[in-house]
């Protein structure tokens, strides 16, 4: 089933007051009629993008631009949909035009734009360009929608393929090396036949005067409308069960259960899920017997460590493969005892160059020779291991750091659960519940995705105010480690109060 997404710039496919059905509206409606209706009828839907979403969109645009260089002499149609419709018609009729970029199609209120159309054996080869490096099932529906609309407009599509980003591409190589092409003709043309009968139904559902009544489906779990739709007024939704899989969800949904309180006793769940259910039933917080023991393994001084990274389709630096996670900054708070900070160290790379070696040397220096390194999740260990693989001269010293890592999230997951976590122990879920005094809202960057995008924009020279961004990035990362210091302190206080020490 499709992931429900916001609209994107390609969805500016309108010639009338009522939006035409675009690819994203169609795919959203396929997954959930309510979402399809909202995507088409709610003017505000998808209007606000996070920095991370905007960056991914810009990246897709750049990858699309480079893909066009693979088809010299092609005709690029206008951004204006009405103009593009006319230009596409002219280009299709002009035998001298070998390929068309962003070709526009409109029929019976269904609109589409094709990334690339190339003449092939008397018909047309449809090429979908993605800034992803891995093929995904959902791309078949993407291509099938475009092929379906273009086909209804009379285009003979005899070949369909996907251009993905090649992991072998390195900065400075010619554009053709950026792509790998995968033929999907058979799957897409088969899927077109499956989608065709839904055409009329989706048109009617998405333009109905009333929003279709929502129905709880597994996709609701990740739907951005969940809080105002199926999750509205439900404090302990079954989606708060950690790692609730589709099969277990279906069992609960078949029983008509959407609240944890209503799960019958004896219903088969994992140990962790049972803990969450118990906490809800008893309206209590879970504190595990092992909390004291596990925290007592921390040796002092403790160093609380957090990294930020950047990961882009087109590498920012030479000799870096697409989608490599490049560490760009860290924050370290040092405490000689719990809650007492006696040092803060930070590093933020110069975006104009690959600073990984410099970052690693600073890190080794800042983390000292002994004492626990406290991280939250396995991410910091993975980044240090990656640096060790990249920098043989520093490998021993870097790997020695990983021996000192204590993963605070693992300790929390095993020993502490508060209903406010809603099934997740991620720091962004735990912090507002236990450490509300830390205020991310007061700085310009609030989550890792935006931090990564902000850094990438600086590296690409597209940030109008890099000084402010640097300040925000440093503040953001510093808050992450400060949160860990306070969380550790909170947990120690809990042990004292529960008499475990
Ligand atoms: S919360 Fe569920 S029913 Fe509501 S719009 Fe999202 S996917 Fe559809």
């Amino acid at each position: 089933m499709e992931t429900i997404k916001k609209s994107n710039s390609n969805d500016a496919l309108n010639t009338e007051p009522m939006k035409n059905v675009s690819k994203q509206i169609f795919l959203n409606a396929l997954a959930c009629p309510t979402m399809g209706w909202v995507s088409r009828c709610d003017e505000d839907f998808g209007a606000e993008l996070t920095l991370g979403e905007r960056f991914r969109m810009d990246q897709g645009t750049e990858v699309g631009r480079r893909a066009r260089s693979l088809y010299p002499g092609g005709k690029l149609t206008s951004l204006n949909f009405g103009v593009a419709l006319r230009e596409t018609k002219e280009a299709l009729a002009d035998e001298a035009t070998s390929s068309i970029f962003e070709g526009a199609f409109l029929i019976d209120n269904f609109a589409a734009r094709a990334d690339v159309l190339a003449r092939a054996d008397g018909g047309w080869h449809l090429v979908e360009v993605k800034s992803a490096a891995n093929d995904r099932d959902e791309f078949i529906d993407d291509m099938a929608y475009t092929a379906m609309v273009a086909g209804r407009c009379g285009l003979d599509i005899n070949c369909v393929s996907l251009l993905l980003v090649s992991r072998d591409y390195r900065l400075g190589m010619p554009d053709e090396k950026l792509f790998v092409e995968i033929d999907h003709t058979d799957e897409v043309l088969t899927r077109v036949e499956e989608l065709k009968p839904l055409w009329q139904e989706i048109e009617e559902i998405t333009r109905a005067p009333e929003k279709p009544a929502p129905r709880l489906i597994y996709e609701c779990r990740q739907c951005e409308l969940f809080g105002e739709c199926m999750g509205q007024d439900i404090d302990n939704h079954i989606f708060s069960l950690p790692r609730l899989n589709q099969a277990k969800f279906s069992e609960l949904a078949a029983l008509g259960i959407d609240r944890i309180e209503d799960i019958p006793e004896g219903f088969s769940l994992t140990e962790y899920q049972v803990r969450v259910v118990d906490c809800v039933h008893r309206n209590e917080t879970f504190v595990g017997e092992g909390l004291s023991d596990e925290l007592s393994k921390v040796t002092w001084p403790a160093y609380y460590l957090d990294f930020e990274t950047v990961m882009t389709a087109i590498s920012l630096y030479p000799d870096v493969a697409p989608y490599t996670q490049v560490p760009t900054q860290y924050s370290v708070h040092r405490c000689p005892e719990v809650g007492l900070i006696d040092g803060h160290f930070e590093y933020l790379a110069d975006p104009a160059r690959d600073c990984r070696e410099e970052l690693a040397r600073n890190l080794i220096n800042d983390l000292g020779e002994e004492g626990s390194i406290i991280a939250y999740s396995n991410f910091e260990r993975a980044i240090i291991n990656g640096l060790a693989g990249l920098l043989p001269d520093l490998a021993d010293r870097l790997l020695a750091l990983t021996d000192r890592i204590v993963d605070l999230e693992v300790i929390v997951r095993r020993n502490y659960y508060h209903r406010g976590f809603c099934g997740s122990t991620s720091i962004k879920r735990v912090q507002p519940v236990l450490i509300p005094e830390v205020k991310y809202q007061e700085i310009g960057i609030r989550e890792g995705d935006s931090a990564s995008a902000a850094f990438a924009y600086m590296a690409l020279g597209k940030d109008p105010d890099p000084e402010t961004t640097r300040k925000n990035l440093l503040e953001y990362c510093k808050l992450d480690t400060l949160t860990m210091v306070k969380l550790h302190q909170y947990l120690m206080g809990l042990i004292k109060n529960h008499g475990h020490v």
Side-chain angles (χ1 to χ4, degrees), residues 4 28 31-36 38 211-231 239:
I4 291 164
N28 283 348
C32 166
T34 314
M35 188 55 150
V38 172
K211 181 162 66 173
R215 193 174 62 86
L216 188 67
I217 53 175
Y218 195 55
E219 283 69 15
C220 297
R221 204 169 58 123
Q222 293 191 318
C223 175
E224 63 184 280
L225 299 180
F226 180 70
E228 60 201 80
C229 185
M230 293 310 293
F239 287 139

Side-chain angles (χ1 to χ4, degrees), residues 445 454-455 458 463 465-474:
I445 290 170
F455 187 89
M458 282 202 299
D463 183 340
D465 187 2
E467 265 324 297
T468 301
T469 302
R470 284 188 72 85
K471 198 167 111 317
N472 287 339
L473 283 169
L474 289 168

Side-chain angles (χ1 to χ4, degrees), residues 144 148 187-198:
M148 176 175 70
E187 299 105 296
V188 171
L189 296 185
T190 302
R191 187 67 177 139
V192 167
E193 294 309 311
E194 291 167 1
L195 295 182
K196 273 181 185 171
L198 305 173

